[in-house]
Amino acid sequence: METLENLEELRQVDESTLARLHQRLERESEEEGLLAVAFREIDSPIGKLLIASTSRGLVRLAFQNEKREEVLDELSRKLSPAILESPSKLDKESRELDEYFRGERRDFDLPLDLSLSTGFRRRVLGEMARIPYGATSTYSRLAVAAGSPNATRAVGTACATNPIPIVLPCHRVLRTDGSLGGYRGGLEAKSTLLELESR
Amino acid sequence: MRPFEEIVREHGASVLSVCRALVGTADAEDAWAETFLAALRAYPSLRPDSSIRGWLVTIAHNKCMDLLRSRSRRIANETELTEDAGMQTRAAGSDLDLWKSIAGLPERQRLAIVHHYFGGLSHAATAAIIGGSPESVRKASSDGLFSLRSKITGGD
């Protein structure tokens, strides 16, 4: 029926209009304090990264191998469904990560929101944050530092579930024999980061 | 509960076309923004089994009606709406004529068509917003389509 086809044409909305409206929504929801989580995607030498922040700070960094949809679902479930892609809210995080990957930054100067991590895992993240740029530690040494020398395996889990990798440098944690162990973003990403920091 | 970003991506375009058809292109973006702000405010406490589409179109409908009421002169003055609605459409010609024709329909026919064909709602869901029975919405929609078709093909 021709009239229906005509109506269908009127439903078409061009992408640039929607992008402009989205930006307006980002701005106004921020002004009204309605946005619980902002996120953006950035390019890096180890693939696309998704970064997310709350009003308290950077709350999540996800690697390309973690599916965008699953990451956003996790944030929605554990934090709030009031989530929008809002790149301008993550300018500083994005800039510092760029500088890090260019080898121009050794320490991050970013507020962090650790609410995706609790208890022992959170303590491990605190200890991990002290491992300096270019250095490495081991799962067992970190267990000792976190006050539970027998908890090497739990340290491994804390690393594997680190919500803010790279910024909280679980890539600097190796096995006692010097082998890489595991990495949320894949072992290739782990080697690339270690290589970058050894330059 | 799905992240709100996905809701915006999935329904942003259809909500905009509903707003365009109800308040005209010039004010549609204000209506769209108010709709999604109100939706974001209410979303975290929305019942998980709600129909997102029906919920959004209801909010858009109410925001559009507010906008129209706040400019009450417009309600009595269909011609202004008609011109606004046609002003910023992509192609001039037939699109423009169609916007004009939709804007010129009696309100109930217009709402029935807009919510069903632009908002993607069933006649029953449309009836829940604009009142009346699903059957009466179906009739309003088909009368409206008939009227549109004769305007388009009649070339007036």
Side-chain angles (χ1 to χ4, degrees):
Chain A
M1 199 190 303
E2 200 185 329
T3 313
L4 291 186
E5 283 166 22
N6 291 333
L7 287 180
E8 180 58 36
E9 273 179 40
L10 293 194
R11 288 184 55 184
Q12 307 303 321
V13 176
D14 64 285
E15 284 300 318
S16 64
T17 302
L18 286 174
R20 191 176 67 245
L21 284 170
H22 196 286
Q23 280 171 6
R24 177 170 169 182
L25 180 61
E26 291 162 37
R27 202 171 54 242
E28 294 180 0
S29 61
E30 172 65 12
E31 283 164 8
E32 301 207 14
L34 295 174
L35 194 56
V37 183
F39 75 94
R40 84 185 271 178
E41 288 178 316
I42 56 174
D43 289 320
S44 86
I46 54 170
K48 197 168 271 181
L49 305 176
L50 185 152
I51 50 178
S53 69
T54 65
S55 58
R56 286 193 278 178
L58 184 62
V59 72
R60 183 78 164 90
L61 186 155
F63 296 103
Q64 192 163 345
N65 62 353
E66 301 178 80
K67 291 206 184 76
R68 169 184 158 125
E69 197 179 307
E70 287 170 15
V71 173
L72 295 180
D73 278 348
E74 178 207 9
L75 294 172
S76 174
R77 212 170 48 246
K78 295 184 176 169
L79 299 173
S80 161
I83 297 176
L84 277 183
E85 184 161 15
S86 191
S88 63
K89 285 272 290 162
L90 288 141
D91 278 343
K92 187 169 193 294
E93 287 81 355
S94 170
R95 195 169 52 246
E96 292 203 7
L97 283 161
D98 272 346
E99 290 163 359
Y100 169 81
F101 283 116
R102 283 202 304 267
E104 295 163 5
R105 171 174 290 277
R106 300 167 70 93
D107 295 299
F108 292 98
D109 178 25
L110 298 170
L112 302 182
D113 177 347
L114 291 179
S115 52
L116 290 176
S117 186
T118 53
F120 181 69
R121 290 181 188 179
R122 193 152 167 174
R123 212 153 74 228
V124 172
L125 297 182
E127 289 305 323
M128 177 194 295
R130 299 165 186 269
I131 311 171
Y133 184 94
T136 59
S137 185
T138 64
Y139 295 104
S140 55
R141 255 189 281 162
L142 213 51
V144 173
S148 304
N150 296 321
T152 307
R153 190 178 287 265
V155 168
T157 308
C159 291
T161 56
N162 175 5
I164 321 174
I166 301 178
V167 176
L168 291 171
C170 55
H171 59 279
R172 295 177 194 152
V173 186
L174 307 176
R175 287 210 180 114
T176 311
D177 65 6
S179 65
L180 283 177
Y183 195 58
R184 197 169 195 173
L187 288 183
E188 203 180 316
K190 190 169 188 173
S191 331
T192 305
L193 296 177
L194 290 171
E195 218 280 308
L196 166 78
E197 295 189 6
S198 70
R199 273 183 224 150
Chain B
M1 195 157 212
R2 296 172 64 203
F4 193 71
E5 175 67 26
E6 286 180 15
I7 307 299
V8 181
R9 299 269 168 204
E10 188 174 323
H11 300 287
S14 60
V15 168
L16 184 60
S17 55
V18 167
C19 294
R20 282 177 174 172
L22 293 186
V23 297
T25 312
D27 290 318
E29 299 195 3
D30 286 342
W32 188 98
E34 287 189 25
T35 297
F36 276 98
L37 269 183
L40 176 57
R41 191 174 290 115
Y43 185 63
S45 48
L46 185 68
R47 283 192 14 224
D49 58 345
S50 307
S51 152
I52 297 285
R53 187 187 293 278
W55 174 69
L56 278 175
V57 173
T58 305
I59 299 174
H61 175 94
N62 292 336
K63 292 296 176 190
C64 287
M65 294 303 132
D66 286 351
L67 257 173
L68 290 176
R69 258 192 298 274
S70 73
R71 299 165 315 175
S72 52
R73 59 196 174 83
R74 301 266 309 253
I75 296 205
N77 189 354
E78 286 280 311
T79 49
E80 193 188 337
L81 172 62
T82 302
E83 279 163 17
D84 272 7
M87 214 150 55
Q88 291 176 35
T89 43
R90 286 173 299 117
S94 62
D95 272 8
L96 192 142
D97 293 341
L98 189 52
W99 279 119
K100 279 187 180 177
S101 306
I102 292 171
L105 290 173
E107 178 170 277
R108 200 168 163 76
Q109 291 180 13
R110 187 170 79 230
L111 292 176
I113 286 180
V114 166
H115 291 338
H116 185 59
Y117 292 101
F118 293 175
L121 300 188
S122 66
H123 294 310
T126 301
I129 300 175
I130 68 173
S133 66
E135 197 38 56
S136 75
V137 170
R138 183 188 311 278
K139 181 163 188 317
S141 169
S142 97
D143 289 350
L145 276 186
F146 181 80
S147 168
L148 282 182
R149 194 172 313 128
S150 57
K151 279 184 189 167
I152 293 166
T153 53
D156 63 340

